[in-house]
Amino acid sequence: FNLANLLEEAGQREAALGHYKAAVQTDPFFADARLNLALLYEKLDLPRQAKEQWRHYLQRVSEGYWADLARVRLGEKPRRSH
């Protein structure tokens, strides 16, 4: 996961993608990996894959800024205003 973050920051998105995928395969409940994977899929213009990860994220995290962003990305209303 940390390597994926570093690779993404260095502009190596495809390499980062592989490491994020490995992180969620190792631990399907790893919410931060799901979040970063959703954001990276959006950057790669892969909306279907991004939405899948947003759904997984919301199954693990239901409150806060990122959960509200996930809801917006899925076409739902956020629970609170920011």
Side-chain angles (χ1 to χ4, degrees):
F1 174 78
N2 291 333
L3 179 56
N5 288 333
L6 292 172
L7 289 167
E8 188 176 358
E9 287 177 15
Q12 298 179 34
R13 291 178 174 173
E14 294 296 329
L17 183 63
H19 287 281
Y20 286 133
K21 285 181 177 180
V24 298
Q25 286 175 347
T26 301
D27 181 0
F29 298 99
F30 191 177
D32 286 345
R34 296 283 185 181
L35 168 66
N36 288 359
L37 194 50
L39 292 168
L40 182 55
Y41 277 134
E42 288 181 349
K43 290 175 188 173
L44 295 171
D45 197 27
L46 297 168
R48 184 179 55 78
Q49 293 90 331
K51 286 183 177 185
E52 179 182 347
Q53 295 307 315
W54 285 124
R55 284 187 204 96
H56 283 290
Y57 181 78
L58 281 175
Q59 290 173 353
R60 287 142 187 85
V61 178
S62 61
E63 299 295 326
Y65 173 82
W66 294 112
D68 281 348
L69 180 63
R71 285 183 190 88
V72 169
R73 294 295 205 266
L74 293 170
E76 300 172 13
K77 186 176 180 179
R79 289 191 179 168
R80 60 185 180 158
S81 61
H82 298 283

